[in-house]
Amino acid sequence: MKEVYLDNQSAKPVDPRVIEGMLPYFGEKYGNPSALHTIGDIGTDTLEESRKSIAKFINADEDEIIFTSGATEAINLGIIGYAMKNKNKGNHIVMSEIEHISIHNIAKYLERSGFEISKVPVDKYGRVNLKKLERRITDKTILLSIGYASNEIGTIQPIREIGKLAEEKGIAFHSDAVAAEGLMPIDVKRDGVHLLALSSNDIYGPKGVGVLYMRKKFRVNPIIIGGGQERGLRSGSEDVTGIVGMKIAAEIMQKEMPSEVKRFTEYRDRMIKQILEEIPDSYLNGHPTERLASNTHIRFDGIEGESILLSFKDKGIAISTGSACTSKTLEPSHALIATGLLHEEAHGSLQITTGRFNTEQDIDSVLKAVPEVVTRLRDLSPIYKTKKV
Ligand code: PMP
């Protein structure tokens, strides 16, 4: 049985064109960019070309790109690095209730180090309200951190408006762009973002590679100390093989994103419409229109997320019930709770995320499976029956 993979938000297959471009860097092109001989020069040239391509992908300058070991590290460097560098200016940071778990855990760490964190609530669709955000800003606020979009419910935030607010208030704006990259254009200048985290895998590059964009004058303190690579901001030999993979992935994405987004939007709209029409007591999580093209997130009354997931697994379909980063905790998704759902409601959701290698047949398979699974689980569910009597 061929597995149908519809969990592209948790991990994406590396594009074969990326793998091909990376291969020489596992072999003959092994030079360390810090070395001054010819083999090292190949590493240096590749690193600098990659910096240029990735800068172009987000409309940044190449000297604003810092390579890291993934988005988590980029986020740590962006938020902790900025907070530490600017702690003499203020100790207050504002973020949303719906940020990725890595950001909420950084908040806990910074609170233990004397910073104050305010979390702005989101509306029932998961969007940050600008007025509420503005009210949280004080004269001690040094940084806002609001991601472009939710990796769980797919809601897109009003990033340009938040960027404008940060500009008016004279505070730095960090954004986790991981869920959005490759699904909407990211332009750090237009969007008014000063610090931004990207991951390579989210654009079909290898895992374990990422980037922090750091606008000039929004400098950070390093969090990894060593030989002084990446202009002293991220020590450790650069992973040239992974970085060249991210470069190729960004170049492909820049060309293919418009047609890909169009295709995903058709898949998504078809899935949402058909599931909501066919299945009683089903509801869309997240925003109806301001949502990532790849994201279909639906809640069913009376069933458990874990049992939905296992039933799909039996049918050879990989889907998710929430973020892979927290799936082992059995806690309900904090993003769904932030939109006002009760714990039991948050547990009955299904997240389908499409990617480059999905076809119309994959969508047919999942649409066939959803009513079968939901009907069977509801027949077994004492909660659903009780509710209906
Ligand atoms: N932010 C978001 C929105 C994510 O979905 C993820 C996980 N892919 C991360 C940050 C962390 O990324 P990484 O696993 O590359 O460190």
Side-chain angles (χ1 to χ4, degrees):
M1 183 167 60
K2 183 184 161 272
E3 180 92 356
V4 173
Y5 185 72
L6 285 162
D7 189 19
N8 285 273
Q9 186 65 63
S10 77
K12 291 188 175 68
V14 179
D15 191 300
R17 294 167 288 182
V18 170
I19 298 176
E20 203 188 315
M22 288 172 72
L23 286 176
Y25 295 86
F26 288 107
E28 73 268 25
K29 296 187 178 179
Y30 52 81
N32 187 327
S34 298
L36 299 176
H37 42 60
T38 315
I39 300 278
D41 288 347
I42 297 174
T44 314
D45 292 348
T46 308
L47 191 63
E48 296 319 315
E49 281 161 23
S50 304
R51 215 183 291 284
K52 257 190 220 158
S53 283
I54 292 161
K56 197 165 158 228
F57 181 58
I58 56 169
N59 193 23
D61 297 335
E62 58 201 85
D63 58 356
E64 297 174 319
I65 300 295
I66 305 163
F67 288 111
T68 65
S69 69
T72 302
E73 190 194 322
I75 291 168
N76 273 264
L77 182 57
I79 301 181
I80 300 176
Y82 190 83
M84 294 305 176
K85 179 100 186 164
N86 292 282
K87 62 174 190 267
N88 58 333
K89 294 189 192 143
N91 70 340
H92 182 232
I93 296 173
V94 182
M95 56 181 61
S96 82
E97 291 274 11
I98 209 170
E99 295 307 297
H100 186 258
I101 183 76
S102 57
I103 295 179
H104 282 179
N105 282 336
I106 288 172
K108 286 186 199 155
Y109 169 81
L110 285 174
E111 276 173 340
R112 290 195 295 273
S113 314
F115 285 87
E116 278 174 31
I117 311 287
S118 299
K119 289 194 187 146
V120 193
V122 292
D123 66 15
K124 64 175 179 175
Y125 299 122
R127 261 171 80 97
V128 169
N129 177 297
L130 283 166
K131 291 258 168 329
K132 286 187 182 157
L133 177 61
E134 189 171 355
R135 281 203 290 273
R136 298 292 162 119
I137 298 172
T138 70
D139 56 359
K140 294 217 177 68
T141 311
I142 51 169
L143 181 68
L144 297 183
S145 185
I146 313 273
Y148 268 69
S150 163
N151 60 306
E152 294 193 48
I153 57 176
T155 300
I156 298 172
Q157 300 298 345
I159 286 295
R160 272 185 242 177
E161 286 80 354
I162 299 170
K164 257 191 223 129
L165 180 65
E167 202 70 47
E168 278 162 28
K169 301 279 180 187
I171 48 186
F173 178 24
H174 168 270
S175 189
D176 168 3
V178 172
E181 60 184 295
L183 292 163
M184 54 190 273
I186 292 171
D187 180 328
V188 288
K189 293 199 175 84
R190 178 200 63 192
D191 301 344
V193 178
H194 308 121
L195 297 156
L196 174 133
L198 292 175
S199 108
S200 152
N201 185 237
D202 285 77
I203 50 173
Y204 308 90
K207 292 188 193 62
V209 185
V211 152
L212 175 71
Y213 155 76
M214 184 189 73
R215 194 182 287 200
K216 294 171 195 87
K217 300 200 192 132
F218 289 83
R219 290 187 66 80
V220 298
N221 274 357
I223 54 172
I224 295 180
I225 316 295
Q229 288 88 344
E230 299 296 290
R231 291 177 290 127
L233 294 173
R234 199 284 182 180
S235 286
S237 301
E238 288 95 345
D239 172 11
V240 177
T241 314
I243 289 170
V244 84
M246 184 171 183
K247 163 199 191 266
I248 301 165
E251 288 169 352
I252 296 173
M253 187 52 89
Q254 209 151 13
K255 287 199 203 96
E256 300 187 359
M257 187 166 69
S259 62
E260 211 155 77
V261 167
K262 188 165 172 283
R263 182 162 65 94
F264 295 167
T265 306
E266 283 163 14
Y267 292 162
R268 179 197 70 191
D269 291 349
R270 181 179 159 214
M271 285 191 281
I272 294 176
K273 184 166 183 288
Q274 191 167 326
I275 296 173
L276 295 183
E277 271 174 15
E278 261 181 21
I279 303 189
D281 304 316
S282 61
Y283 314 89
L284 181 67
N285 293 319
H287 201 282
T289 52
E290 293 299 317
R291 71 182 300 127
L292 296 174
S294 60
N295 183 293
T296 299
H297 205 299
I298 304 217
R299 179 164 63 81
F300 302 100
D301 269 358
I303 50 178
E304 274 275 311
E306 288 305 292
S307 49
I308 310 183
L309 200 140
L310 295 176
S311 308
F312 276 99
K313 196 171 178 183
D314 287 344
K315 289 179 178 291
I317 301 175
I319 47 97
S320 159
T321 56
S323 170
C325 306
T326 46
S327 63
K328 295 210 166 66
T329 65
L330 291 180
E331 282 292 306
S333 145
H334 73 279
L336 289 175
I337 298 294
T339 64
L341 295 187
L342 301 172
H343 278 222
E344 56 273 26
E345 292 172 323
H347 271 302
S349 291
L350 165 70
Q351 178 176 352
I352 302 168
T353 47
T354 52
R356 180 169 290 163
F357 303 104
N358 286 121
T359 61
E360 196 75 45
Q361 285 74 40
D362 297 338
I363 309 303
D364 295 341
S365 307
V366 78
L367 283 174
K368 181 167 174 290
V370 170
E372 291 168 8
V373 168
V374 174
T375 308
R376 193 178 66 81
L377 294 177
R378 278 182 174 168
D379 285 345
L380 298 171
S381 162
I383 332 168
Y384 192 66
K385 277 192 214 130
T386 318
K387 192 184 160 219
K388 295 287 124 184
V389 178

